[in-house]
């Protein structure tokens, strides 16, 4: 197995990040950061979509190692970013679905993506950061998992999902943001 080299977070100019947020009236504005390219998206960007999709099915242990390493990095990034700006909310993006189904089977998602994403959510919850989970596509097969894990908001609520059924089942447990037919 080869080592993945990640950008060095010690080289980020965190004081510059702090200065960008210094003038924000926190009584009037919510401070939100974006952490895009979640574990699934980053894995297929690194490997290529075809290779990644095949590896999720044929090399699940290696994919778990990969997404765990990515999660480790994201958790450290989140901690440092929160230390610098004191986030109120995070937009955490990871597209898990196409317009007709998940990219990978629900059991595969639960075995590989969910545990590492749960660690990210746990870090966010420990810091009292609202989780605004972005995931395009038809994700209703794992929607209950996302709610159980602690997502506070889901966007964009695409109508390829049975939004009425999701609302009936999960109303009061998660905020639905969006739902506009694109």
């Amino acid at each position: 197995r080869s080592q993945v080299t990640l950008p060095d977070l010690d080289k980020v100019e965190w004081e510059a990040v702090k200065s960008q947020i210094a003038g924000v009236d926190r009584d009037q504005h919510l401070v939100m950061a974006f952490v895009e390219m979640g574990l699934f998206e980053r894995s297929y960007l690194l490997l290529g979509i075809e290779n990644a999709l095949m590896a999720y099915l044929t090399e699940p242990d290696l994919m778990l190692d990969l997404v765990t390493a990515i999660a480790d990095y994201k958790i450290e990034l989140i901690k440092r970013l929160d230390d610098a700006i004191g986030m109120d909310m995070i937009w955490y993006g990871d597209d898990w679905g196409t317009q007709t189904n998940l990219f990978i089977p629900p059991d595969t998602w639960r075995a590989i993506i969910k545990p590492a994403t749960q660690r990210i959510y746990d870090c966010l919850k420990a810091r009292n950061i609202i989780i605004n989970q972005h995931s395009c596509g038809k994700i209703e097969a794992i929607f209950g998992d996302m709610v159980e894990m602690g997502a506070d908001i889901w966007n964009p609520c695409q109508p390829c999902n049975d939004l009425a059924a999701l609302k009936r089942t999960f109303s009061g447990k998660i905020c639905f943001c969006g739902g506009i037919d694109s």
Side-chain angles (χ1 to χ4, degrees), residues 54-65:
M54 290 179 59
Y56 274 105
L57 299 177
T58 62
E59 301 286 345
D61 292 339
L62 289 175
M63 293 307 287
L64 181 58
D65 288 347

Side-chain angles (χ1 to χ4, degrees), residues 3 30 46 50 56 68 77-78 82-83 89 99 113 117-118 131 142-143 153 155 169 174 177:
Q3 284 291 98
L30 180 107
L46 289 168
E50 291 174 4
Y56 274 105
T68 298
L77 171 64
I78 288 165
D82 187 45
D83 288 346
M89 179 165 61
Q99 294 301 294
I113 301 296
T117 301
Q118 182 67 69
I131 302 168
I142 58 167
F143 194 82
I153 302 169
N155 76 76
T169 304
I174 190 167
C177 180

Side-chain angles (χ1 to χ4, degrees), residues 37-58:
M37 299 298 144
L39 308 177
F40 178 73
E41 289 181 11
R42 182 61 58 195
S43 71
Y44 75 68
L45 289 171
L46 289 168
L47 301 174
I49 188 75
E50 291 174 4
N51 291 334
L53 291 175
M54 290 179 59
Y56 274 105
L57 299 177
T58 62

